[in-house]
Amino acid sequence: MTRVFRLFSLLLVLALGAITLAPVIGTGAAMAQPTVAGVDYDRWQSVATRAEDAIEASRASTSALESLREELVDWRRQFQVAQESNATVIETVRNQLTALGPAPDGEPESADIAQQRDTLNNRLAELQSPIKRAELAHSRADGLIKGIDQIIRDRQTDELLEFGPSPINPIHLADGVTALFNTGHALHSEFLAAWSNPAQYDETKENLPVVAVLLVLGVILVLRGRRWSKRLTRRILKQEPGAGRWIAGFFVSLGSLFLPYAGIYAITEAAYATGLVGVRTDQFLSAFLGASFAFLLARWLATRIFPADDLRVPPLNLDADDRLAGRWYGASLGLVMVIYMLLLNASEFMGWAEGATNAILFPAMVVAALLLWRLAHLVHKHGVNSTDESGDETYRARMARLLSRVLLLLAVLAPVLAAVGYFKAAQWMMLPSLFSLLLLAVLLVLQKFFVELYVLVSGNREGAADSLIPVLIGFVLVILSLPFFALVWGARVADLTELWTQFVEGVTIGETRISPTIFLTLAIVFAIGLVVTRLLQGALKNSVLPKTKIDPGGRNAIVSGVGYIGIFLAALIAITSAGIDLSSLAIVAGALSVGIGFGLQNIVSNFVSGIILLIERPISEGDWIEVGGKHGTVKDISVRSTRIETFDRTDVIVPNADFVSGTVTNYTRGNTVGRVIVPVGVAYGSDTRKVEEILLEIGEAHPLVLANPAPYVVFQGFGASSMDFEIRAILRDVNFVLNVKSDMNHEVARRFAEEGIEIPFAQQDIWLRNPEAFGGTSARVTTSDASAHITEADLNDAEPDIDVDGDGGDV
C-alpha cells in the first residue's frame, strides 16, 4: 500500500500538469521496442520452462512473479519485432510468384519457369520460417504472461476477502497502543544513538547554519506561503474578473499548494542536513513528504471546488454556508488521509501486528467515513439545486445525486466491514474512494481552467461551458484520467502496460492487421488529401473558373465534381498508405454490399441522381424552379438532396431522385426571359377596341417588356360579370413577374379611371319561387338589395325555394 500512496502522489503532481502522462508512456513504450536481428531461442526455452514450472507450482512470491513477468514481456517484444522482419523481401518474392502466375494443370511448363518457381517457393519458405517460429514463441510468451497475471489477481482477491482481527476487540486496542508507544520509543532511541555519536555530533554542528536557514525558510513558507497566495489571488479577483484575470488568479492560487510544500520540503532537508536521520526516520520522512502533499492538494482543491471569492460560475451550486462547510470537510479529509498514510507506513517499517494495525487505523477510517457522509450531503444539495426551471432533473444533477448515494454507501459500509473483521476489504473501499474524489476534483478544476482559456481565446462567454471545444477537452481529460483511476483502485502498472500493448498491436482480420498506427496513418493521409481537395476547389471557384465563359451552374458542377473525385482519391490513397489489403476483405465487403444495397437503396438512388444532376445540369444554383408544386430558388445541390428556398423564405429539401424521375419546371434555365399574363375585366357595354388599345399601350410602356416579340392583347371572351381581356408580354427578367403584374394593374386602374371605363364586380339575381312566404309580391331581388328586405331569420323560418340566375336550380 505504501507503493500506491507514493505512486498516487506522483500521479497527482502530473495531473496538475494537464494529465498528459498516458500517451507519453505509450509512445515511450512503443519507441523502446528492441530491434534485434535474431532471437536466442535456446535461452528463451530455458526461461519459458522456468515460467511454466513457477505457474504450475504457484508458490513463488508475488514480487518474484512480477520480475518473471517483466522478463517474459521483454521476450514477447522481441518476438513481435521478429515477426515483422523480412516483410519487404517476402512481399517482393510473393510479387515475383504472382508475376509467374499459377502452375499449369496437366500441361508441361518451361524448364526455366519451373526452376524459377521452385527457387522462389523455397526462398519464400526460408524467409517465412523464422516468422512462423517467432509467432509460436510470441503465442507461448503471451500465454505465460496471462497465467502469471491470473495468479497475481487471484492472490489479490483472496487478500481482500481475508477475514482478519476486529479493530474493536479490546485486546487489539491494547496492542495498538503498545505498538504506537514502541514506534515512538524506537524513533527516539534512533535519534539519541545518532546524537551520542561524536562524528554525527560534529557533522550536525558543522551543518548548523544550513540547518537553521532551511528550517527558518521552511517555517516561513509553511506559515505564511498560503496567506500570501490567497491575498494576491483576492487582489487579482477583487473586481469582476475576465478570463485573463481568472487564469492569472488560478496560477497564483497554486502558490497555496506549492509554497507550503516547499516549506515542508525545506524542513525535511534540514532534518537530513543534521545527519541525525536514521533508517526508520528516513522512511517516516519519505512517507511524510507524500502525505503532506496529499493534504495540501486536498485543501487547495477544496478552495477551488467550494470557492469563497470567485462566485461567477462555481463548480457546485451551493450557498455560502455550504461552501464554507465544504472547504472545512475537504481540508479535514486531507488531514485524515495524512494521518492514515503515516500510520500505514509506520505499520510496514515497524512490523506491527495485524490486530494492532487494524486497531490504530480504525479511528482514522471512522473519521474519514463521517467526513465522506457530510460531503455526500453537499453533493446531494448540489444535485437538488441544479434542476432546471421546469423542475426536470438534468443529467449533471442525476450524476451528482448518484455520486452522493455512492459516497453515503461507502461511508456506512467501510467502517462496518472493518469492525466485523474484513479490514482489508474496507481499506480497499475507503482509500481508493478518497483518492478518486481528489482525481474528480482535479478534473473539475482542469475543466474550469480550459473553459476560461477558451473564453480568453474566443472572447465568447455565452454558453462557453457547453461549447464543442471545451466539451471535447473535458472528454479527453476523462479518457486520460482512466489509467489513474485504475491505478488508484488497485490495478497494477503491468496490467495497464499489457492493455496498452494489446491496443498498439491491434487485431488481425484475415491477413490484415488493424492497429491504432494504421488508423492514425489513415486519418493523417486522408486529412491531407481532404485539405488539398478543398484548396483546389477554392482555387477553381475563386480564381480559375470566374475567368472562363462557363455559366455559374457549370462552375458549381465542376467544383462539386472535383470535390467528390478528390475525396475518393484521398480515401483510396489513405487506405493504400496504411497498408490495408482490401483484397482480403473483398468477400466480407461483397456480402455487406448486398445488405447495404437493399437497406440503403434510396440513399444510393439519390446519390446517383445527384451525380446525374451535376453532369446534365438540368438545374443549377440560382435557378427558379417548380417541383412537386413548390416554387423556389435552388440554393444548394448536394450529393443526396437539393435545397430550395421558397419565396416565403422557407427551405425545402428535395431528394435528388425526384428531379431525375419526376417533372421539374425551370423558369430560368439558360436565360431569364419569360412571359407575363395580366388578366383584365371590363363592364359590359365598354368599347372593346378602346380597351384593347389602352391595354396594349400599357404593355408596351413597361421598361421590362421586350419590344421583340412585341406584347399583345387578347380578348378572351365574355364572363359572367365582365368581358375578359389579357395582356401578354415577354419580360427580359422573369424573376420580376410579380412586380410587372403589380405595375400594370396600377396603370390599368389609372387609365380606365381617366377614360371612364368601368371595371365590374360580380352581381347575381335571386328569384323566389314562393314569395308569399315573406308576405310580399315581389318575385325578384338582387343580391345587393336582398339583405335590406330579407333577413336571415326570415330565410330560416320560411325556408323558401331559391333559384339563382333563374336557371331552375335550387340552392
Side-chain angles (χ1 to χ4, degrees):
M1 189 59 69
T2 304
R3 179 184 61 85
V4 175
F5 291 142
R6 293 175 180 174
L7 178 62
F8 182 75
S9 301
L10 175 61
L11 296 181
L12 289 177
V13 175
L14 297 173
L16 289 174
I19 313 182
T20 57
L21 186 60
V24 174
I25 293 177
T27 305
M31 294 177 61
Q33 294 183 356
T35 57
V36 295
V39 180
D40 187 356
Y41 285 98
D42 294 335
R43 183 164 169 261
W44 156 245
Q45 182 64 32
S46 174
V47 173
T49 303
R50 179 161 53 90
E52 289 172 348
D53 294 339
I55 293 174
E56 184 177 357
S58 188
R59 295 178 180 176
S61 63
T62 301
S63 59
L65 289 176
E66 290 282 7
S67 176
L68 181 59
R69 186 189 185 282
E70 292 179 1
E71 189 175 357
L72 291 173
V73 168
D74 182 67
W75 279 104
R76 184 179 62 178
R77 190 177 298 123
Q78 295 183 41
F79 298 142
Q80 179 67 31
V81 175
Q83 292 180 46
E84 300 173 356
S85 61
N86 299 329
T88 304
V89 181
I90 291 175
E91 185 66 23
T92 302
V93 174
R94 285 176 175 174
N95 291 336
Q96 290 175 325
L97 286 171
T98 304
L100 288 177
D105 296 332
E107 296 181 4
E109 188 178 20
S110 172
D112 293 338
I113 296 179
Q115 183 180 2
Q116 291 180 11
R117 189 188 308 278
D118 293 339
T119 303
L120 290 174
N121 284 326
N122 294 333
R123 176 61 174 163
L124 182 61
E126 180 183 354
L127 291 172
Q128 288 180 336
S129 177
I131 295 178
K132 295 295 183 183
R133 189 175 185 182
E135 289 177 354
L136 293 175
H138 182 277
S139 177
R140 186 181 184 184
D142 191 63
L144 293 174
I145 291 172
K146 291 180 179 178
I148 292 176
D149 289 339
Q150 186 61 44
I151 293 175
I152 295 176
R153 280 193 291 267
D154 291 341
R155 289 181 179 179
Q156 290 176 339
T157 303
D158 295 339
E159 184 180 0
L160 286 178
L161 299 179
E162 181 182 355
F163 184 79
S166 173
I168 58 177
N169 190 331
I171 298 177
H172 301 315
L173 291 176
D175 294 340
V177 173
T178 303
L180 287 175
F181 176 79
N182 291 337
T183 299
H185 179 71
L187 294 175
H188 182 260
S189 300
E190 192 175 67
F191 171 77
L192 291 179
W195 181 263
S196 59
N197 189 334
Q200 294 285 1
Y201 182 78
D202 294 338
E203 182 181 355
T204 303
K205 290 180 60 179
E206 183 179 353
N207 294 335
L208 190 59
V210 176
V211 171
V213 172
L214 289 175
L215 190 62
V216 172
L217 179 62
V219 171
I220 293 176
L221 289 177
V222 169
L223 297 179
R224 307 292 297 181
R226 181 169 180 261
R227 184 174 300 179
W228 293 339
S229 176
K230 289 181 63 176
R231 185 179 302 173
L232 184 56
T233 302
R234 287 176 179 174
R235 183 173 300 178
I236 294 175
L237 302 177
K238 185 177 182 180
Q239 301 175 350
E240 183 67 20
R245 295 178 68 88
W246 189 95
I247 293 174
F250 173 82
F251 283 112
V252 172
S253 70
L254 289 173
S256 62
L257 167 63
F258 290 109
L259 290 179
Y261 184 73
I264 294 174
Y265 186 82
I267 294 174
T268 305
E269 288 298 317
Y272 281 110
T274 60
L276 303 177
V277 176
V279 176
R280 292 188 177 91
T281 307
D282 175 60
Q283 293 175 330
F284 178 81
L285 290 177
S286 299
F288 180 72
L289 279 176
S292 62
F293 182 82
F295 164 70
L296 295 174
L297 177 63
R299 187 176 65 177
W300 178 77
L301 289 173
T303 60
R304 305 303 304 184
I305 301 298
F306 307 99
D309 303 319
D310 181 20
L311 304 180
R312 183 173 51 197
V313 185
L316 299 181
N317 190 8
L318 300 172
D319 56 27
D321 293 337
D322 289 333
R323 290 197 304 273
L324 177 61
R327 291 193 294 275
W328 277 102
Y329 297 152
S332 302
L333 199 57
L335 182 60
V336 172
M337 291 174 62
V338 169
I339 297 174
Y340 198 100
M341 293 165 66
L342 291 177
L343 293 176
L344 191 60
N345 278 274
S347 70
E348 293 182 1
F349 67 76
M350 290 299 299
W352 293 347
E354 185 178 3
T357 301
N358 294 350
I360 293 172
L361 295 178
F362 184 69
M365 182 178 292
V366 172
V367 175
L370 292 175
L371 293 173
L372 270 183
W373 180 280
R374 299 306 305 168
L375 283 176
H377 279 288
L378 293 181
V379 175
H380 178 76
K381 279 188 177 182
H382 163 69
V384 173
N385 296 336
S386 298
T387 54
D388 55 20
E389 298 178 355
S390 61
D392 296 332
E393 193 176 35
T394 61
Y395 172 77
R396 294 179 180 178
R398 287 196 300 269
M399 294 302 296
R401 297 184 68 173
L402 176 62
L403 177 61
S404 67
R405 293 190 182 100
V406 172
L407 293 179
L408 288 174
L409 180 62
L410 289 172
V412 174
L413 190 58
V416 172
L417 287 176
V420 171
Y422 293 99
F423 196 88
K424 291 185 178 179
Q427 184 173 267
W428 177 82
M429 295 174 60
M430 178 60 69
L431 289 179
S433 300
L434 298 179
F435 293 144
S436 297
L437 279 180
L438 288 181
L439 279 176
L440 286 175
V442 169
L443 288 177
L444 285 176
V445 172
L446 288 177
Q447 176 67 12
K448 174 66 175 176
F449 171 79
F450 283 112
V451 168
E452 293 296 331
L453 186 62
Y454 171 78
V455 173
L456 179 64
V457 174
S458 65
N460 180 24
R461 181 170 294 280
E462 188 69 23
D466 297 325
S467 299
L468 177 61
I469 294 179
V471 170
L472 289 178
I473 292 176
F475 178 76
V476 172
L477 289 177
V478 172
I479 296 299
L480 294 179
S481 68
L482 292 180
F484 299 96
F485 281 104
L487 290 173
V488 164
W489 283 95
R492 297 154 43 231
V493 177
D495 294 333
L496 299 181
T497 306
E498 183 69 18
L499 289 175
W500 179 256
T501 301
Q502 295 178 2
F503 177 73
V504 171
E505 290 180 357
V507 296
T508 302
I509 302 177
E511 297 182 358
T512 303
R513 178 177 293 274
I514 307 298
S515 66
T517 305
I518 292 178
F519 276 111
L520 184 62
T521 304
L522 183 71
I524 293 176
V525 175
F526 181 76
I528 294 174
L530 185 61
V531 170
V532 172
T533 300
R534 297 308 184 203
L535 292 175
L536 180 58
Q537 284 183 293
L540 288 174
K541 185 176 181 179
N542 300 318
S543 301
V544 178
L545 294 179
K547 298 177 181 179
T548 65
K549 296 181 180 180
I550 303 175
D551 59 275
R555 295 181 217 161
N556 293 329
I558 293 175
V559 171
S560 300
V562 170
Y564 297 147
I565 295 174
I567 292 175
F568 174 75
L569 292 178
L572 188 62
I573 295 173
I575 293 173
T576 305
S577 301
I580 299 176
D581 186 8
L582 297 180
S583 61
S584 61
L585 304 177
I587 298 177
V588 178
L592 290 176
S593 63
V594 175
I596 293 174
F598 283 108
L600 303 178
Q601 55 183 339
N602 290 333
I603 296 178
V604 174
S605 175
N606 289 323
F607 175 79
V608 175
S609 299
I611 301 298
I612 294 174
L613 290 178
L614 290 175
I615 296 175
E616 294 186 352
R617 296 194 293 121
I619 61 173
S620 302
E621 292 185 13
D623 286 354
W624 170 18
I625 66 172
E626 177 187 1
V627 57
K630 297 289 186 180
H631 285 261
T633 305
V634 178
K635 289 297 182 182
D636 179 61
I637 302 176
S638 64
V639 70
R640 190 196 67 85
S641 61
T642 298
R643 182 169 62 91
I644 300 174
E645 184 181 273
T646 62
F647 297 122
D648 56 0
R649 295 298 185 268
T650 58
D651 286 345
V652 178
I653 308 300
V654 182
N656 288 333
D658 292 354
F659 292 97
V660 176
S661 60
T663 302
V664 182
T665 303
N666 194 331
Y667 293 97
T668 57
R669 174 61 179 165
N671 57 67
T672 59
V673 175
R675 188 174 70 171
V676 62
I677 299 176
V678 182
V680 179
V682 298
Y684 282 96
S686 301
D687 185 352
T688 57
R689 293 298 180 181
K690 182 67 173 177
V691 171
E692 182 178 0
E693 180 183 352
I694 294 173
L695 295 180
L696 189 59
E697 292 176 359
I698 293 173
E700 293 175 344
H702 199 282
L704 287 179
V705 174
L706 294 178
N708 185 23
Y712 60 96
V713 177
V714 178
F715 186 4
Q716 284 284 16
F718 301 93
S721 303
S722 63
M723 294 183 293
D724 299 329
F725 291 79
E726 285 183 355
I727 305 176
R728 296 193 174 191
I730 303 299
L731 304 180
R732 66 180 72 255
D733 192 345
V734 75
N735 291 302
F736 295 94
V737 63
L738 293 179
N739 303 70
V740 173
K741 276 188 176 183
S742 178
D743 294 342
M744 288 187 178
N745 283 330
H746 283 297
E747 190 65 16
V748 166
R750 185 184 67 83
R751 290 291 302 277
F752 280 7
E754 292 177 355
E755 299 294 339
I757 299 174
E758 181 182 357
I759 299 177
F761 53 88
Q763 295 187 5
Q764 289 183 333
D765 292 337
I766 300 178
W767 293 85
L768 303 180
R769 293 183 177 179
N770 50 351
E772 62 277 3
F774 297 100
T777 59
S778 177
R780 179 176 181 178
V781 183
T782 63
T783 54
S784 58
D785 297 330
S787 60
H789 300 287
I790 304 175
T791 64
E792 183 180 356
D794 294 334
L795 291 175
N796 292 335
D797 294 338
E799 296 184 355
D801 293 332
I802 302 177
D803 182 15
V804 180
D805 292 337
D807 60 356
D810 295 338
V811 179

